[in-house]
Amino acid sequence: MIGLEPVLDYVRMKDGILKAISADGTIRAVIATTTELVEVARQRHQLSFTATAALGRALTAGVLLAPLVARDGQVALKFQGDGPLGKIFVDASPKGTVRGYVQNPEIELPLNSLGNFDVGAAIGKTGYLHVTIDHGFGGPQMSTVELATGEVGEDINRYLVNSDQTGSVVVVGTHLSKNGVEAAGGLIIQLLPDHTEETICQIENNITTFGAFTFLMRRGMSLEAMLGRILTGFEVTPLTEVKPLAFRCKCSDERFVEALKVFTKQDLISMAEEDGQAEGRCHFCNEFYYVGKERLLDLARGR
Ligand SMILES: [Zn+2]
């Protein structure tokens, strides 16, 4: 049984993820803190506040979904709404790595009527969420749902209900100050087939009294304690220890050089002679790559 821990004042938590299942097998839960990785994304992509809130929620959603749906592979999310941010792309793996970007990172919108960053308007309330799951074997599984609100949490919930036909609760949040990301994280609770009406009532009741995720984080509540609070009334067993999370991209010098192989010998020679180098930028992490003249000529000679 996970108990509540005492609340401490304003502790900055390390990123991590925890999975758990209720002893009666009716509920599966995954909970994560993502403050550091969202801050890395903010700095790498020079995100506006609105874009940080939106991409932060999407990165958190990816991190939470990956261990639920992708096992040894990865999950890719594409939010394609009609809002000014354009598309949002996220790749996440159950190993705890995630990367992502937003098409228009500079877009800033006024706060909504609740005083929150207007993620729904920024992503757009009309459009699609595309989810691609690669299990690491066989072909990828693709599915698409219409956006529910563009607020990310509701959209992911719609995807889960659509794909699994089970009820779920999705919470994703990003708390920002002028200094950057103060707290980010979220949780997914899935009702498994043997759940009862009482299970649903208890979960609904727990959500009502849970409080704001990022507020609890900033008060230093641990993942175990937050899980204990959201699953009050259930006996819960963590399936794993808290596992670390990180923003990590797959790009590298080698991959950039590999990508240059689509060019013809003549193209490579032209790049070397006219530009003196080839340069490129990784969309996912905003890292710049350069290949100098000699290397380009070497590549051309190898063709
Ligand atoms: Zn990259």
Side-chain angles (χ1 to χ4, degrees), residues 32-53:
T33 51
T34 56
T35 311
E36 293 166 337
L37 70 88
V38 176
E39 175 64 16
V40 169
R42 185 185 77 84
Q43 291 184 16
R44 277 194 167 268
H45 293 299
Q46 296 167 12
L47 301 172
S48 69
F49 288 114
T50 310
T52 306

Side-chain angles (χ1 to χ4, degrees), residues 180-224:
V181 183
E182 296 287 335
L187 60 86
I188 294 179
I189 295 171
Q190 273 189 304
L191 296 172
L192 299 176
D194 288 337
H195 73 271
T196 61
E197 275 302 311
E198 287 78 47
T199 315
I200 298 171
C201 286
Q202 180 73 54
I203 289 287
E204 283 174 351
N205 198 36
N206 292 354
I207 292 161
T208 312
T209 55
F210 183 68
F213 193 95
T214 52
F215 174 77
L216 297 177
M217 276 183 68
R218 283 180 295 133
R219 297 306 304 263
M221 192 179 263
S222 70
L223 285 179
E224 291 89 342

Side-chain angles (χ1 to χ4, degrees), residues 44 99 247-252 281-287 289:
R44 277 194 167 268
R99 61 179 189 166
F247 186 101
R248 190 168 302 146
C249 197
K250 297 170 192 163
C251 63
S252 64
R281 182 178 67 88
C282 173
H283 288 301
F284 271 99
C285 69
N286 219 16
E287 189 74 36
Y289 287 96

Side-chain angles (χ1 to χ4, degrees), residues 223-236:
L223 285 179
E224 291 89 342
M226 282 194 277
L227 199 62
R229 180 182 279 204
I230 195 75
L231 295 178
T232 298
F234 300 97
E235 195 178 332
V236 179

Side-chain angles (χ1 to χ4, degrees), residues 136-202:
F137 53 85
Q141 262 176 24
M142 286 173 275
S143 47
T144 298
V145 290
E146 285 186 18
L147 292 175
T149 58
E151 296 278 349
V152 179
E154 287 93 337
D155 307 312
I156 296 291
N157 191 29
R158 177 173 280 186
Y159 160 73
L160 284 171
V161 169
N162 233 48
S163 60
D164 290 354
Q165 310 294 319
T166 59
S168 67
V169 176
V170 181
V171 174
V172 282
T174 312
H175 185 87
L176 309 174
S177 75
K178 63 179 178 16
N179 299 324
V181 183
E182 296 287 335
L187 60 86
I188 294 179
I189 295 171
Q190 273 189 304
L191 296 172
L192 299 176
D194 288 337
H195 73 271
T196 61
E197 275 302 311
E198 287 78 47
T199 315
I200 298 171
C201 286
Q202 180 73 54

